[in-house]
Amino acid sequence: MRELKHLFDNNRKWAEQMRQQDPGFFTKLAEQQAPPYLWIGCADSRVPANQIVGLDPGEVFVHRNVANVVSHTDFNCLSVIQYAVEVLKVRDIIVCGHYGCGGVAGALADVPLGLIDNWLRHIKDVYEASDLVHGAKNGAKEADTLCELNVAAQVRNVCYTTIVQDAWRRGQNLSVHGWIYSLDDGLLKDLDLCISDPDQLAAIYRMRGTG
Ligand code: CO
């Protein structure tokens, strides 16, 4: 039986290190979490949310899936957003994509990958609705642009959810950001897509009524 012993060894070292830095660390965290941020990112092993932004356990609530997709029929993602907004009361939701995303590359390629192609359909739809569809095929540059467009689309998708719309209607302070991470240098870029108000959305997606 493989027990992955080295991971348990790592874990013991890490827990000990954290205790040395702050003896009350785990006791405090065990009592409650109050992260001010929700991170929605790619499942890619090279884009670990906490490490990239230098946050400790307890400081960011995280949802990751292939290519940081926010689909309004995905109850996993919607549940994370609902809990983060309504229970944890996060103030900022960050959708973070990354250049060199395998999910985005997979969506651009015509090679069948299996079940995941159904998930990557979301990204194909972003492509098809964009100007890229009219341009010449341009390999890496096209993929990078689609990574950015995908972040923009998913930022909007977060804002279109009943959860975020309800929060804004209640007057809750909530901003949704679109960032992109570069695997090459480990740096984040703000895509300046911040949405904090339903007025920033197309009319059809705004739900202002009191109902
Ligand atoms: Co990715």
Side-chain angles (χ1 to χ4, degrees):
M1 187 167 103
R2 295 182 66 214
E3 289 175 335
L4 304 175
K5 184 176 172 304
H6 59 295
L7 297 184
F8 284 88
D9 293 343
N10 288 353
N11 167 250
R12 270 190 299 272
K13 273 185 231 153
W14 172 78
E16 184 48 40
Q17 218 173 37
M18 296 304 282
R19 264 193 299 269
Q20 273 171 16
Q21 280 168 27
D22 176 1
F25 184 74
F26 291 111
T27 324
K28 263 184 287 173
L29 276 188
E31 279 162 15
Q32 73 159 96
Q33 63 165 340
Y37 316 106
L38 164 62
W39 173 283
I40 299 174
C42 183
D44 192 304
S45 64
R46 301 164 292 180
V47 195
N50 286 67
Q51 276 155 292
I52 288 174
V53 285
L55 293 177
D56 277 336
E59 296 182 319
V60 57
F61 201 61
V62 174
H63 178 75
R64 290 169 66 185
N65 60 38
V66 172
N68 42 273
V69 167
V70 176
S71 161
H72 62 285
T73 55
D74 175 8
F75 278 82
N76 183 352
C77 185
L78 291 180
S79 300
V80 169
I81 297 174
Q82 190 249 325
Y83 189 79
V85 170
E86 294 181 9
V87 182
L88 299 175
K89 303 231 180 323
V90 299
R91 289 186 301 271
D92 295 282
I93 300 177
I94 298 150
V95 176
C96 186
H98 67 104
Y99 296 120
C101 183
V104 171
L108 277 172
D110 57 4
V111 182
L113 297 171
L115 174 75
I116 195 169
D117 289 321
N118 295 288
W119 183 252
L120 298 182
R121 248 290 309 283
H122 292 296
I123 313 216
K124 287 180 184 285
D125 292 347
V126 173
Y127 177 90
E128 192 64 12
S130 77
D131 291 339
L132 283 176
V133 76
H134 305 298
K137 288 270 174 204
N138 183 10
K141 184 153 187 338
E142 185 181 46
D144 282 352
T145 306
L146 187 54
C147 288
E148 293 178 356
L149 292 173
N150 181 45
V151 171
Q154 306 316 329
V155 164
R156 290 193 299 272
N157 283 343
V158 171
C159 297
Y160 300 158
T161 62
T162 53
I163 303 147
V164 170
Q165 298 270 326
D166 287 349
W168 281 334
R169 216 166 39 237
R170 285 193 304 269
Q172 192 173 331
N173 213 334
L174 183 64
S175 297
V176 186
H177 310 261
W179 297 355
I180 195 150
Y181 175 79
S182 172
L183 297 173
D184 296 333
D185 57 12
L187 294 177
L188 283 171
K189 183 166 87 181
D190 191 341
L191 292 173
D192 290 325
L193 303 164
C194 183
I195 301 180
S196 313
D197 188 294
D199 282 342
Q200 293 170 264
L201 305 177
I204 188 72
Y205 297 109
R206 288 182 223 143
M207 289 173 273
R208 289 190 200 282
T210 48

